[in-house]
Amino acid sequence: MNWNDYIETNKQRFMDELFDWLRIPSVSADSRFKKDVKNAAEYLAAKFKAAGADNIAIEETAGNPIVYAEKIINPSLPTILVYGHYDVQPSDPDNLWTTPAFEPEIRDGKIFARGSCDDKGQVYMHVKAFETMMQTNTLPCNVKFMIEGEEEVGSANLGIYCKQNKEKLKADIVLISDTAMISLDTPSIDTGLRGLSYVQVEVTGPDHDLHSGVYGGAVANPINVLCSMIASLHDENRHITIPGFYDKVLELSNEERIALNKAPFSLDEYKKELGIDEVMGETSYTTLERTGIRPTLDVNGIWGGYTGEGSKTVLPSKAYAKISMRLVPNQRSGEITELFTKHFLSIAPKSVKVKVEAHHGGEPVVTPTDSRAYKAAAKALKETFGKEPIPTRGGGSIPIVALFEEVLGLKSILMGFGLDSDDIHSPDEHYGVENFYKGIQTIPYFYKYFSEK
Ligand code: BES
Ligand code: MN
Ligand code: MN
């Protein structure tokens, strides 16, 4: 039997199995789901076993387990290390989902569920592509799978695991499906990921909440102060004002910028899809550049004072914000966090106290387009989509990818099958049924072309 016949024959079962996996709420950010996270790892390990993998292990860490599996057919052949994550983002706000986040359902040709695209749906394509090659006796090289349960919370324990298992994880390339492509009509391959610096800030005014009539106007309001401080972090051109922030930013040549902007993109459709009348971003860069090659600073959450029903006239003691910065080559997460901290403390008025706490971060990466692996991925996509893929730059981050390079000396291929419009991390996350099957069809071709001399 050939691959397509095998996939066609087993199509429904593949989907049913994915559905069962999606029903397990493997939310890594919330410790109440600890047991579910473990169950999701066990489910995956069982599927690797059924597909014919060897040395399957649920590797315990200080956090959530890593699922490892491998098939070594001949040590002299190339080895692909497949990376992905089985943990998912929290589903809240749950009331905005059309159907519950952990009760998968197909509507309009899309699988709706938390994790359907990011990243269980995409990981499962790899499990089923592997099964397809095993059952048709066509696995052309060695493969190792390393699927973690903490990507959405910073992959701290996977970093340690990589450092401790360099020999075991020896491979020739890391293959990852955890990004998006332009569309089913226009396949693309991400050639970069942005890095991340994440901080939480706390502004304290008076040492207890005050009556805003008795004290307002005379005592610093930490929320007002925090808002002005945050507002000052961008200038009128939407440049970030932190001194030194852009010092190491790698500027692209004109040719590179022209190539990047050749990707099909409709600003009108983009705005329509997001329900906005106008985009906003750094002057003299296009939308694709703003998300692909430029660093950013965004407030992810801000709170303080009274937010309950009705009104309460209070001058609060404290205000907080969570702020993330997306980084591009050659910025370094540690340096940027330091620059932010120094600057943020320096702009604080004497009337308040400010604290900055660093959260997890990650380094940006770029992947070459002239490598054997890139060419194999391009040929594989051409095989199933009928078109040469376009190299693109995604705006998201997978912090562990830089570590694969640093610790394991391995480059990665970002062969993602999602779409930017899949609403990952949002209510109604979904993944195209066709994207799922196309992924299963494409992956064996990558193995084939990557193994060819
Ligand atoms: N799969 C995403 C990253 C992604 C999405 C890359 C779309 C390219 C296109 C990943 O699961 C993710 O959400 N990463 C986080 C970082 C993490 C440290 C929480 C992100 O980008 O915010
Ligand atoms: Mn992901
Ligand atoms: Mn994610």
Side-chain angles (χ1 to χ4, degrees):
M1 218 190 243
N2 67 30
W3 296 333
N4 277 347
D5 289 345
Y6 185 81
I7 294 165
E8 195 54 41
T9 313
N10 293 281
K11 231 174 153 169
Q12 190 55 47
R13 177 175 55 84
F14 290 179
M15 189 60 79
D16 293 343
E17 289 173 7
L18 172 61
F19 268 42
D20 282 341
W21 200 30
L22 290 171
R23 284 191 189 98
I24 308 173
S26 46
V27 178
S28 51
D30 186 339
S31 58
R32 284 176 301 175
F33 294 93
K34 199 93 197 151
K35 189 84 194 51
D36 299 296
V37 166
K38 192 164 175 280
N39 288 342
E42 280 166 4
Y43 184 92
L44 179 62
K47 294 302 172 193
F48 274 128
K49 180 133 197 73
D54 300 324
N55 295 325
I56 296 153
I58 296 182
E59 311 266 24
E60 294 301 335
T61 70
N64 297 334
I66 296 156
V67 179
Y68 180 86
E70 65 178 27
K71 191 80 199 177
I72 309 296
I73 55 169
N74 179 346
S76 66
L77 288 171
T79 302
I80 297 171
L81 176 62
V82 177
Y83 163 79
H85 62 97
Y86 68 83
D87 65 318
V88 301
Q89 286 277 324
S91 59
D92 72 293
D94 284 294
N95 61 322
L96 295 183
W97 286 75
T98 307
T99 47
F102 298 105
E103 293 174 26
E105 186 179 290
I106 294 177
R107 292 193 301 275
D108 310 325
K110 298 169 191 126
I111 309 157
F112 283 83
R114 171 61 83 230
S116 56
C117 172
D118 184 14
D119 182 31
K120 282 158 136 181
Q122 297 206 63
V123 164
Y124 213 66
M125 300 178 322
H126 283 272
V127 184
K128 295 298 107 174
F130 171 66
E131 177 191 312
T132 300
M133 289 182 280
M134 288 297 288
Q135 291 297 321
T136 54
N137 264 313
T138 50
L139 183 69
C141 61
N142 306 310
V143 58
K144 298 176 177 176
F145 295 94
M146 178 172 70
I147 313 298
E148 70 155 318
E150 295 186 313
E151 194 277 341
E152 299 292 6
V153 290
S155 305
N157 292 300
L158 185 66
I160 297 168
Y161 179 80
C162 287
K163 284 177 190 140
Q164 291 171 343
N165 290 280
K166 284 188 204 171
E167 194 57 36
K168 177 173 176 152
L169 299 173
K170 259 201 162 136
D172 297 284
I173 191 72
V174 185
L175 177 61
I176 305 172
S177 297
D178 191 23
T179 51
M181 57 198 299
I182 296 173
S183 71
L184 286 170
D185 295 325
T186 312
S188 61
I189 300 177
D190 265 352
T191 59
L193 290 164
R194 289 196 286 187
L196 191 66
S197 282
Y198 203 114
V199 296
Q200 179 166 325
V201 300
E202 179 193 291
V203 178
T204 308
D207 66 6
H208 57 283
D209 286 5
L210 303 174
H211 188 290
S212 69
V214 178
Y215 294 98
V219 175
N221 178 322
I223 301 180
N224 294 15
V225 171
L226 176 58
C227 289
S228 349
M229 288 172 76
I230 288 171
S232 78
L233 297 176
H234 288 98
D235 69 13
E236 66 283 6
N237 293 314
R238 307 301 300 166
H239 281 295
I240 293 156
T241 56
I242 299 167
F245 187 84
Y246 291 97
D247 282 2
K248 293 199 174 165
V249 169
L250 184 74
E251 301 284 344
L252 266 64
S253 68
N254 268 336
E255 291 72 40
E256 287 172 306
R257 287 180 69 180
I258 289 166
L260 185 99
N261 286 298
K262 278 212 174 114
F265 175 76
S266 155
L267 194 58
D268 282 335
E269 272 172 38
Y270 187 80
K271 290 192 282 193
K272 208 171 132 204
E273 201 173 289
L274 301 178
I276 54 175
D277 295 324
E278 201 41 87
V279 292
M280 186 166 100
E282 200 179 353
T283 313
S284 55
Y285 289 95
T286 65
T287 296
L288 287 177
E289 291 172 338
R290 287 168 180 171
T291 57
I293 58 164
R294 299 298 293 168
T296 60
L297 182 151
D298 275 294
V299 180
N300 301 107
I302 182 162
W303 69 101
Y306 183 70
T307 55
E309 195 184 329
S311 47
K312 177 186 178 192
T313 48
V314 64
L315 193 165
S317 164
K318 284 181 187 291
Y320 304 84
K322 290 186 191 281
I323 298 173
S324 66
M325 290 156 276
R326 297 281 169 174
L327 314 179
V328 300
N330 296 317
Q331 290 177 300
R332 300 288 296 176
S333 171
E335 283 173 23
I336 292 296
T337 302
E338 218 171 278
L339 289 177
F340 175 93
T341 306
K342 214 172 122 208
H343 176 68
F344 206 70
L345 294 176
S346 81
I347 60 173
K350 280 216 174 66
S351 49
V352 297
K353 293 178 195 69
V354 174
K355 273 194 216 158
V356 180
E357 183 194 334
H359 283 210
H360 58 73
E363 308 302 342
V365 284
V366 273
T367 64
T369 51
D370 56 1
S371 66
R372 187 158 72 105
Y374 185 88
K375 286 177 193 155
K379 266 177 94 174
L381 286 160
K382 172 125 200 262
E383 199 71 60
T384 45
F385 290 85
K387 270 187 205 165
E388 201 71 42
I390 299 175
T392 48
R393 288 286 197 95
S397 309
I398 309 176
I400 200 70
V401 177
L403 251 123
F404 291 154
E405 211 164 319
E406 238 175 81
V407 176
L408 303 175
L410 291 177
K411 293 271 181 202
S412 296
I413 285 290
L414 302 163
M415 198 167 75
F417 293 88
L419 301 178
D420 277 343
S421 55
D422 283 341
D423 287 322
I424 63 171
H425 295 204
S426 304
D428 281 350
E429 174 179 351
H430 55 272
Y431 189 41
V433 170
E434 201 178 333
N435 298 61
F436 177 65
Y437 290 124
K438 272 268 196 285
I440 301 173
Q441 289 166 346
T442 307
I443 291 162
Y445 282 109
F446 177 82
Y447 281 57
K448 176 175 186 258
Y449 293 131
F450 185 69
S451 306
E452 278 174 9
K453 289 238 168 54

